[in-house]
Amino acid sequence: MGSIEMGLSEAQIREGLDTIAELEPKFGGALKRVGYPEARIRPTGYRTLLRTIVGQQVSVAAAASVWNKLEGLLGEDIPPQDLLDTGFDELRACGLSRQKQGYARSLCELVTCGELDIENLPEDDEEAIAELIKIKGIGRWSAEVYLLFAEGRPDIWPAGDLAVQAGLHGILELTERPTEKEARVLAESWSPHRGSVAILTWHAYNNPAL
């Protein structure tokens, strides 16, 4: 089950942010203070979504431990049918809780029955999100992050992300952190480069220079 890496490149991010900085000079000021963000690229496909489920609400180290045990049990590809054929106790021994096993099995069932074709999601972003959130445990935010980092869709805007909201708060010098609805309205004029702006907000949120 192959995958390819096709996230936004650093050149695409830079181009998008330069365009937005012309519309809103405060973005230009932020770029001078914190610099351009690096690309965040993930492989497309089933394994990236499974890894997203494994990593929910646990530390990076804990998620890596679970993942390594799964690979040790089922092989590096962790084939969906093989996971479905694995018993509860074996998966529990890898560190997958009952809830996460449910999420993982939901993903595997959708893939094996052909209801979800991860490598051929609809071109329309909202339609693609609707396909991904069929998976139990994958909400809108996880779907948006997948489409931005794995598929490199340039106009994805995860307005519900608290770090995106906090980044906008700092960059635009707002009196308070915008709500999800306010963040969506603010970003309307930044289309089709909202993905680059999102990556900048995360970069700025983690940078003390802002």
Side-chain angles (χ1 to χ4, degrees), residues 53-54 56-58 66 70 83 87-105:
I53 289 169
V54 168
Q56 289 174 345
Q57 298 178 318
V58 297
V66 174
L70 281 173
L83 191 147
F88 174 84
D89 289 338
E90 286 180 282
L91 292 177
R92 184 73 185 224
C94 291
L96 278 185
S97 65
R98 182 179 297 276
Q99 183 180 54
K100 285 192 179 178
Q101 287 194 39
Y103 296 165
R105 289 183 188 281

Side-chain angles (χ1 to χ4, degrees), residues 131-205:
E131 284 291 298
L132 290 170
I133 63 176
K134 289 178 181 178
I135 306 164
K136 290 179 183 175
I138 296 292
R140 183 180 180 91
W141 179 85
S142 295
E144 288 170 331
V145 168
Y146 175 83
L147 293 173
L148 180 57
F149 293 159
E151 294 210 344
R153 298 198 181 204
D155 206 32
I156 293 294
W157 181 239
D161 186 288
L162 294 181
V164 168
Q165 296 165 10
L168 285 180
H169 180 203
I171 291 169
L172 298 178
E173 301 170 356
L174 304 173
T175 54
E176 57 188 30
R177 193 183 76 202
T179 64
E180 178 175 354
K181 186 176 181 181
E182 289 166 344
R184 291 201 184 282
V185 172
L186 279 169
E188 284 175 359
S189 63
W190 306 334
S191 182
H193 303 291
R194 289 178 292 187
S196 294
V197 177
I199 292 170
L200 176 63
T201 61
W202 283 313
H203 177 59
Y205 177 73

Side-chain angles (χ1 to χ4, degrees), residues 13-54:
I13 294 168
R14 183 179 287 263
E15 182 181 351
L17 291 175
D18 286 345
T19 301
I20 299 305
E22 291 179 9
L23 297 174
E24 173 49 75
K26 287 178 180 174
F27 281 108
L31 288 170
K32 287 178 182 176
R33 293 194 297 278
V34 303
Y36 289 89
E38 295 180 354
R40 301 185 179 199
I41 297 176
R42 304 286 182 271
T44 59
Y46 149 80
R47 289 175 80 258
T48 292
L49 288 167
L50 180 61
R51 187 142 196 170
T52 297
I53 289 169
V54 168

